[in-house]
Amino acid sequence: MSPRIFSRKSWPAALATVIVTAVGASMFMAHAPSSAQAPAAAPVVRGLPDFTELVDLVGPSVVNIRTLERASASGAGAADEQMLEFFRRFGIPVPPGVGPRGPRQERGQGEERPRGVGSGFILSADGLIMTNAHVVDGADELIVTLPDKREFKGKIVGADQRTDVAVVKIEATGLAPVKVGDVNRLRVGEWVMAIGSPFGLENTVTAGIVSAKQRDTGDFLPFIQTDVAINPGNSGGPLINMRGEVVGINSQIYSRSGGFQGISFAIPIDEAVRVADQLKANGRVTRGRIGVQIDQVSKDVAESLGLGQPRGALVRGVEANSPASRAGVEPGDIILKFDGKAIEKSLDLPRLVGNTKPGTRSTLSIWRRGAARDLSITVAELEPDKPEQRASAPEGTKPQAGVAAQSLGLTVAELTASERENLQIKGGVRVASAEGAAARAGLREGDVIVGVANAEVANVRQFEAVVARQDKSKPISVLIRRGEWAQYAVIRPAR
């Protein structure tokens, strides 16, 4: 999600009343007689934190980054730095003529013009700077301004779009690097501070608390959520704890209006440093891949498969000739562990695999047809996503409406040889029509059912036999293929 930026309101006056009330209550309790039945005293709020020392400590390490681009021959009108970043970050086309030069005024071809503004912070005394990839993306030139007003031209060492992390180098020495903190020690409710250049206003300080950790807003990053005010130009600046350590890079916000609504996201610094180390060494980031498309495991699916609590990553598809395919992973498998590390949510898997060096031999623990098993897999290097391919519709098969299938609201048909070949499956039945309970479960014409209640089905006869053995008063799980994707559906009896 792209960063969105807002302004911060002042703290409500009611907070002072809460503080006074809490302190007054503690004074009363100090003189009250003790009682075994008296409840334990709540923690006393003694006042708001003082950020002045943190600003003095970290402020000299925070920089302003201006990006420039060369005007094209078309002579499109220029936008000012703040408005241009707003339009770019939210995917809105820049209106012609927007900017300080007024409508219909054009710049000469090749002339540099402001493109955006952002923030960054110093990683090393010799001029390495960390920021967001979206801050420097597409820039023809970078101007880095230090807090002492010195300006340097910046060179992009490397940028990683997947994590939105970039490293910039300036030719300077004797700079003040930040101190990197331990994200594992960061606690929800803890005070944090941000320094950046919102709307081009350099060295602006805002503060708030950690609202949540491990927020899933991307494939490779569990974000830190805060209520610190983040606005256009704050992107790439540091999130700082009360010990003066950088714990994150301010990167994104959530908004329905385009204005600050109290929800900001920061990239955890440990993840960012891991990416930055690769960018410094190689100029790019290499990640592992195993070649599966995955989804969350719902509560209904977990219960119907005997898994208990919903956990793991449901394999919806397996790429041909991928590490997963060679290891024997099948659509419908649920991956529970990778190299012994538990997969609690589906997004845990790409993070663990992505952080694994290509060529590493690893172990997948999977759940298949009611039992756990381990598979050995060799991790490959992540490649660009392949376009989705859909199987052609089968022809020449006659739908059959057996008694068991009808009880679920289904009419099914045998698969053709070409369909089995296209889907790379040994057997199954095609859904000719879905009504009643099956339709409510999300099944539709063209789906291919390859499993029922943890049992494989190769043809219509076997499908009828498996369904006939099930208790019709209880939900029944079915594993279906829809094109190259696999998913579970739970058919519930009508009540």
Side-chain angles (χ1 to χ4, degrees):
M1 183 174 84
S2 298
R4 307 174 187 176
I5 307 172
F6 319 52
S7 65
R8 174 125 181 140
K9 296 183 179 180
S10 60
W11 291 98
L15 181 58
T17 304
V18 173
I19 297 172
V20 173
T21 302
V23 174
S26 66
M27 295 176 61
F28 172 79
M29 292 299 295
H31 294 85
S34 61
S35 170
Q37 287 75 31
V44 177
V45 179
R46 302 188 183 280
L48 297 176
D50 186 350
F51 294 97
T52 54
E53 293 185 4
L54 294 183
V55 175
D56 293 339
L57 178 65
V58 185
S61 304
V62 183
V63 303
N64 171 270
I65 299 176
R66 301 196 318 275
T67 59
L68 306 175
E69 66 180 356
R70 293 181 180 87
S72 63
S74 62
D80 64 37
E81 295 176 0
Q82 295 78 30
M83 288 300 294
L84 185 58
E85 179 173 340
F86 176 84
F87 287 124
R88 189 175 79 252
R89 293 303 299 151
F90 289 98
I92 303 172
V94 179
V98 172
R101 295 198 175 195
R104 297 185 178 87
Q105 286 191 325
E106 300 179 352
R107 295 178 183 263
Q109 181 179 0
E111 182 181 351
E112 290 182 338
R113 65 187 185 193
R115 186 177 189 278
V117 61
S119 305
F121 52 94
I122 299 169
L123 284 178
S124 64
D126 60 354
L128 281 177
I129 293 169
M130 184 179 287
T131 185
N132 283 146
H134 76 257
V135 169
V136 301
D137 182 40
D140 293 316
E141 185 174 338
L142 303 178
I143 304 297
V144 177
T145 304
L146 303 184
D148 60 9
K149 304 304 179 184
R150 287 185 294 165
E151 289 191 346
F152 298 86
K153 286 189 175 182
K155 176 184 177 182
I156 300 175
V157 175
D160 181 55
Q161 301 296 333
R162 290 180 181 270
T163 54
D164 199 20
V165 173
V167 176
V168 173
K169 180 71 168 66
I170 61 174
E171 296 302 323
T173 58
L175 303 181
V178 298
K179 182 178 180 181
V180 175
D182 183 357
V183 177
N184 294 323
R185 295 179 60 188
L186 193 67
R187 301 177 62 187
V188 175
E190 180 177 337
W191 283 96
V192 284
M193 180 183 75
I195 304 179
S197 304
F199 303 106
L201 303 172
E202 300 176 9
N203 305 109
T204 296
V205 179
T206 54
I209 64 169
V210 176
S211 305
K213 296 176 63 178
Q214 301 288 322
R215 285 298 192 205
D216 292 323
T217 63
D219 288 344
F220 292 96
L221 289 176
F223 283 87
I224 302 167
Q225 179 186 332
T226 75
D227 67 350
V228 178
I230 302 299
N231 289 280
N234 271 117
S235 296
L239 184 71
I240 306 157
N241 64 18
M242 294 301 292
R243 293 179 289 277
E245 302 165 335
V246 175
V247 292
I249 307 176
N250 297 309
S251 178
Q252 302 182 8
I253 65 170
Y254 174 82
S255 172
R256 294 181 177 179
S257 64
F260 179 62
Q261 293 180 326
I263 299 178
S264 305
F265 296 101
I267 302 166
I269 194 63
D270 55 347
E271 301 280 354
V273 168
R274 186 181 298 115
V275 171
D277 288 342
Q278 290 199 51
L279 292 176
K280 289 184 290 184
N282 308 310
R284 69 185 189 95
V285 178
T286 51
R287 293 186 174 88
R289 62 175 286 272
I290 59 175
V292 293
Q293 293 84 38
I294 58 174
D295 202 351
Q296 281 284 68
V297 178
S298 69
K299 183 175 182 293
D300 288 344
V301 167
E303 291 177 350
S304 66
L305 298 181
L307 191 59
Q309 296 297 320
R311 56 194 174 97
L314 169 63
V315 178
R316 295 191 61 197
V318 180
E319 296 177 16
N321 300 317
S322 66
S325 174
R326 291 189 290 270
V329 179
E330 300 176 1
D333 287 346
I334 295 176
I335 301 176
L336 300 177
K337 293 181 180 179
F338 177 81
D339 264 348
K341 299 180 179 67
I343 309 296
E344 298 297 335
K345 306 182 297 297
S346 62
L347 287 178
D348 292 341
L349 182 63
R351 291 172 190 154
L352 291 173
V353 175
N355 290 333
T356 303
K357 184 179 179 180
T360 302
R361 196 161 186 82
S362 302
T363 301
L364 282 181
S365 299
I366 67 169
W367 184 265
R368 180 186 296 170
R369 288 187 284 278
R373 65 178 71 183
D374 289 340
L375 301 175
S376 180
I377 190 168
T378 300
V379 177
E381 186 173 345
L382 182 66
E383 301 172 352
D385 294 334
K386 295 181 179 180
E388 181 181 357
Q389 297 178 355
R390 297 189 177 273
S392 58
E395 297 179 359
T397 57
K398 182 180 180 181
Q400 300 179 38
V403 176
Q406 283 184 326
S407 68
L408 302 179
L410 289 170
T411 302
V412 297
E414 298 286 2
L415 296 178
T416 65
S418 61
E419 184 176 16
R420 289 195 298 270
E421 182 179 354
N422 288 337
L423 293 176
Q424 296 183 346
I425 57 177
K426 298 178 181 179
V429 296
R430 176 172 56 87
V431 175
S433 66
E435 301 175 349
R440 291 194 296 272
L443 274 74
R444 66 192 190 200
E445 181 182 353
D447 288 343
V448 175
I449 299 175
V450 295
V452 176
N454 280 328
E456 288 184 284
V457 292
N459 49 46
V460 172
R461 181 180 60 82
Q462 192 175 19
F463 172 82
E464 282 283 316
V466 173
V467 174
R469 293 196 300 267
Q470 306 306 310
D471 185 343
K472 303 301 186 297
S473 65
K474 295 182 179 179
I476 299 175
S477 65
V478 293
L479 175 60
I480 65 173
R481 289 286 298 273
R482 186 171 290 167
E484 287 193 343
W485 298 96
Q487 66 186 70
Y488 282 98
V490 180
I491 302 177
R492 298 180 177 278
R495 298 190 180 277

